[in-house]
Amino acid sequence: PTPQQGVATELVDQASLQEFCGRWSLNEDAQAKLLGLPPDLQRKVMEGFSPPDHMTELNGKFIMFCVSVEKASKGDGFQRQAVQGPGTQLLYGQELISALTDFCLQWALNEDATAKLLSLPPHLQQEVISSFDPPPHMTEVNGKLISFCASLERSRRASAGVRPPMPPHPALRAAPAPRRPAAEALGSSTVHAFALDGFCARFALNEDASAKLRSMS
């Protein structure tokens, strides 16, 4: 291996990891996400994570940041992709993560709705953030958000000339496969952290109440 490769694969010392987790008061899910990364990505996360000063509950945002760094390392993540829609401002990696986090907290999205949003490509994520506008009297918006995301996916496929697959003849249909929850597909730690953050924000729970709730999960 070259000297550069040796540096990239060198383990991050435990004292630095513990100091970082303590500084941001990361919970078990957020710590597990960090410790599950390769050493070079751990360094990128520790050097690049910079939440707003006013934000006190950071776990959901931190997990999303780790996910974005992972995706960027594979060449398909938020960090390398600029997102632009008609009449919208360009959002880059960290800005898009912040916008997604704020959106999930604003609407107190549950795990399925959060997972649906995070499964979209970045340009559709920004379109959802800028266009989702449920009726003012609607207090439970998760189903509406999931339907809205699905409608955007269908319209994009239609505009691109991609036809949905023809259904098989009834005589050839096999038994339906068990549905895999969207939350499972994205990883439970990411969507669970967002769901908890959203609940705490919705009911303005203080630190003691938030800590009690998280200890029960």
Side-chain angles (χ1 to χ4, degrees), residues 65-85:
F65 183 70
C66 291
V67 170
S68 74
V69 170
E70 281 185 296
K71 287 180 174 288
S73 71
K74 301 172 184 176
D76 61 349
F78 301 121
Q79 299 290 346
R80 296 180 185 175
Q81 183 163 358
V83 182
Q84 188 175 28

Side-chain angles (χ1 to χ4, degrees), residues 83-182:
V83 182
Q84 188 175 28
T88 62
Q89 182 181 2
L90 274 176
L91 289 185
Y92 291 91
Q94 186 63 45
E95 293 175 338
L96 180 56
I97 296 166
S98 295
L100 287 167
T101 303
D102 293 344
F103 182 83
C104 292
L105 295 177
Q106 174 189 348
W107 297 108
L109 299 184
N110 66 16
E111 293 191 7
D112 283 340
T114 300
K116 182 62 178 177
L117 175 62
L118 298 182
S119 71
L120 298 176
H123 67 284
L124 289 186
Q125 288 174 342
Q126 182 163 346
E127 189 166 345
V128 170
I129 291 171
S130 61
S131 304
F132 184 61
D133 186 25
H137 64 272
M138 183 175 286
T139 58
E140 210 296 316
V141 302
N142 293 290
K144 180 83 172 175
L145 186 279
I146 291 171
S147 299
F148 184 68
C149 291
S151 69
L152 287 181
E153 288 181 302
R154 287 193 299 270
S155 65
R156 289 290 178 171
R157 284 197 297 266
S159 63
V162 178
R163 295 183 179 180
M166 293 292 291
H169 189 277
L172 301 177
R173 287 177 183 165
R179 178 179 175 269
R180 185 185 183 193

